[in-house]
Amino acid sequence: MDVPTTNVELVPEKETIKEGKEGCPAFHCDLCDTEIVYKITRVFLPGLAAACVDNTTGGLFRSPASVAVDMRKEMIDYLTQRSESFVAETIILEGGTNTEVSDHPYDIISDFVDDFASSKRNFFSRVSGWLLSEKREDNIDDFIQEMEENRFWLTDRREVIAQTLLKNVDLKNTFHCDKKFHTTEELAEHVVNCGFRSLNCKNEGCTVVVCASKLETHDSACPFKIIPCEQKCSDSIMRREMDRHCITICPMKLVNCPFYSVGCQSTIARCRIQQHCSEDFHLHLVFALQNIHKGATEEDLKERVDQIVKSAPGQLEASRDVRSLTIKVRDIDAKLGPLECTPRKDSEDSIETANDIMDKSTEAINKALEESSNKVGTESIEAAIEESSEPGNSVTEKSTNTTNKVGGESPKSAMGGSPEAGDSVTEKWNKATN
């Protein structure tokens, strides 16, 4: 594709300002929102490229470059006409349909460009666009790049057209100035302070041009602005570099204590690690001793810490990591001898609970033995009464046998053969029979 070397520019004629009735303002401010104008200019090249590619698809003797000049002229005329009749189109749309239509100038002009490109599609382009959509997109992208390299339609000339279209469709005067003045002096004085005048961003490295009314908004989000560190360190960082600074080199980055692995759960700023280690030195010693004496209580370990600090003054404070501190503490602890551990409170509670259970068990056993002895004695007496009609010697023998039986078997059956329990029950039985 060969793009024409000549750059014929067709700009819609500006409305000539004529003097009206006496006293009517005759001079208009032509300033617009530069950000919107720039966005509109970026729509023109893709729209023109799509129209040229689709219009020449299937042609043997025509290429997109061969129709670019004529197609650009048609495009400018089409956009100008649509923008001038936009007010009438808006009224018709509002009265005849419920579809919501955007009133933003960028969206409106983008729709105009799409409509123009669609109107230039021939039969072959419609078929190939449906069957070979990826190839069509590639051809459009290639032609856009070719026009940019050959400077076919320069940005400043596109901006002139974009400003004209913007004024035609910006019915609410949101993105352009609509002020009018009687003299050129009044207009010149206004332009200096107009909210739509173009200003360059003051931040070093930023090339953005914005209107004066939006400069503050841009400055609040400009990636090149130097701002204080978000983590309150003393550095001032470019906004776009803030995240990397905060997670890498910022001295106020939060980190775990060097003794986190042995029990210290503190999270401190990187620049305050040394201060933290000095303030919590004794606590870190306790954590180190817990790995050496795993069964010791905290009170025992604190006493051991005092002994270690007294025996080696100034030797441990320089240790800033777990390994070095643990090694030194282990050596000093070995020299001090075995650690005397006091019984844990939970062990004492367990022993006391076991003793209570044994006392209650013994009481229950004694009670059962006593009830059993009473029951056996009562049955023997009743048997003796029933046999009282027999001769005295016979009664005496049976009573003696019954007594011997009770005295010999009851303790064993009650205590499961325990000698001490048997002796206790025997004594009680002898007292009862006597």
Side-chain angles (χ1 to χ4, degrees):
M1 287 181 241
D2 297 327
V3 178
T5 56
T6 58
N7 194 3
V8 180
E9 182 59 52
L10 299 173
V11 179
E13 294 182 1
K14 286 189 176 182
E15 181 181 356
T16 305
I17 301 175
K18 296 180 180 180
E19 292 291 341
K21 295 181 180 181
E22 186 178 356
C24 294
F27 299 94
H28 299 256
C29 178
D30 294 330
L31 297 178
C32 300
D33 188 332
T34 54
E35 183 179 0
I36 299 299
V37 170
Y38 178 72
K39 289 180 65 177
I40 294 174
T41 59
R42 293 178 61 85
V43 177
F44 292 157
L45 281 184
L48 178 61
C52 293
V53 171
D54 290 341
N55 189 254
T56 57
T57 300
L60 299 178
F61 305 103
R62 300 173 67 205
S63 66
S66 65
V67 299
V69 175
D70 293 335
M71 195 66 68
R72 180 178 60 183
K73 179 181 181 302
E74 291 183 32
M75 181 177 178
I76 294 173
D77 292 341
Y78 176 86
L79 296 177
T80 304
Q81 182 181 359
R82 286 288 303 271
S83 65
E84 290 174 350
S85 61
F86 175 70
V87 176
E89 291 182 11
T90 303
I91 295 174
I92 294 173
L93 288 174
E94 289 179 353
T97 180
N98 295 326
T99 305
E100 295 185 3
V101 180
S102 174
D103 59 352
H104 195 283
Y106 174 78
D107 296 331
I108 295 170
I109 297 173
S110 296
D111 291 339
F112 291 167
V113 173
D114 292 339
D115 292 343
F116 173 77
S118 298
S119 68
K120 296 301 177 181
R121 302 183 71 174
N122 58 27
F123 173 77
F124 295 102
S125 66
R126 294 179 188 278
V127 175
S128 63
W130 177 60
L131 298 176
L132 304 171
S133 59
E134 293 184 1
K135 184 177 181 181
R136 173 181 175 273
E137 295 296 332
D138 292 340
N139 291 337
I140 293 174
D141 292 339
D142 292 341
F143 189 57
I144 292 173
Q145 184 176 357
E146 188 171 348
M147 286 191 293
E148 290 177 343
E149 291 175 352
N150 288 276
R151 300 170 64 83
F152 175 70
W153 198 357
L154 298 178
T155 303
D156 55 347
R157 298 186 179 183
R158 281 180 283 154
E159 287 179 351
V160 175
I161 300 172
Q163 290 176 3
T164 303
L165 300 177
L166 175 61
K167 294 174 185 177
N168 291 338
V169 300
D170 185 20
L171 304 181
K172 297 181 180 180
N173 300 323
T174 306
F175 301 98
H176 78 284
C177 182
D178 63 336
K179 298 295 179 64
K180 301 175 182 179
F181 303 92
H182 293 87
T183 64
T184 57
E185 290 78 10
E186 292 178 354
L187 177 60
E189 184 179 354
H190 163 76
V191 168
V192 176
N193 300 309
C194 181
F196 290 98
R197 70 186 187 278
S198 298
L199 296 177
N200 294 318
C201 179
K202 298 180 180 179
N203 297 318
E204 184 178 357
C206 184
T207 59
V208 173
V209 179
V210 296
C211 59
S213 61
K214 295 185 176 180
L215 181 61
E216 185 176 352
T217 303
H218 166 75
D219 188 71
S220 64
C222 179
F224 293 91
K225 185 176 178 61
I226 305 297
I227 58 176
C229 174
E230 295 177 352
Q231 296 183 151
K232 310 301 181 183
C233 80
S234 58
D235 296 338
S236 294
I237 311 296
M238 192 178 294
R239 181 178 277 115
R240 68 175 186 174
E241 301 290 338
M242 183 61 67
D243 291 343
R244 186 174 65 87
H245 165 79
C246 290
I247 63 177
T248 54
I249 62 175
C250 180
M252 292 299 292
K253 176 187 176 182
L254 295 179
V255 296
N256 290 328
C257 171
F259 297 89
Y260 179 86
S261 60
V262 294
C264 184
Q265 303 296 316
S266 300
T267 302
I268 64 277
R270 179 184 292 169
C271 62
R272 296 174 182 168
I273 291 179
Q274 185 173 358
Q275 177 184 354
H276 167 74
C277 291
S278 300
E279 293 175 351
D280 291 2
F281 173 67
H282 285 72
L283 180 61
H284 294 164
L285 285 179
V286 171
F287 289 140
L289 284 172
Q290 283 179 346
N291 292 332
I292 301 173
H293 304 288
K294 298 186 181 298
T297 63
E298 187 174 350
E299 290 74 14
D300 294 333
L301 295 178
K302 289 182 178 179
E303 294 179 2
R304 193 66 160 186
V305 166
D306 295 336
Q307 297 175 4
I308 291 175
V309 172
K310 291 179 181 178
S311 62
Q315 297 183 17
L316 302 175
E317 287 78 358
S319 301
R320 300 301 179 189
D321 59 89
V322 176
R323 181 188 177 93
S324 60
L325 182 65
T326 304
I327 292 174
K328 292 180 180 180
V329 169
R330 192 182 298 276
D331 294 340
I332 299 173
D333 181 73
K335 295 177 182 179
L336 293 176
L339 176 65
E340 297 180 359
C341 298
T342 56
R344 288 180 176 270
K345 184 178 180 180
D346 54 354
S347 300
E348 295 177 356
D349 294 341
S350 299
I351 295 172
E352 184 177 352
T353 302
N355 291 335
D356 291 342
I357 293 173
M358 291 181 65
D359 293 341
K360 292 179 180 179
S361 299
T362 303
E363 184 178 351
I365 292 171
N366 291 335
K367 185 176 180 180
L369 291 174
E370 192 172 328
E371 292 176 354
S372 176
S373 300
N374 293 335
K375 184 177 180 181
V376 172
T378 303
E379 292 177 353
S380 300
I381 294 171
E382 290 177 353
I385 294 173
E386 290 176 357
E387 296 176 359
S388 59
S389 59
E390 297 180 3
N393 293 334
S394 177
V395 172
T396 302
E397 288 179 1
K398 290 181 179 180
S399 298
T400 304
N401 293 334
T402 302
T403 302
N404 293 333
K405 180 179 180 181
V406 172
E409 292 180 1
S410 295
K412 291 183 180 181
S413 61
M415 294 301 297
S418 175
E420 290 106 9
D423 295 339
S424 175
V425 174
T426 303
E427 292 177 1
K428 292 179 180 180
W429 174 253
N430 291 333
K431 290 180 180 179
T433 52
N434 293 333

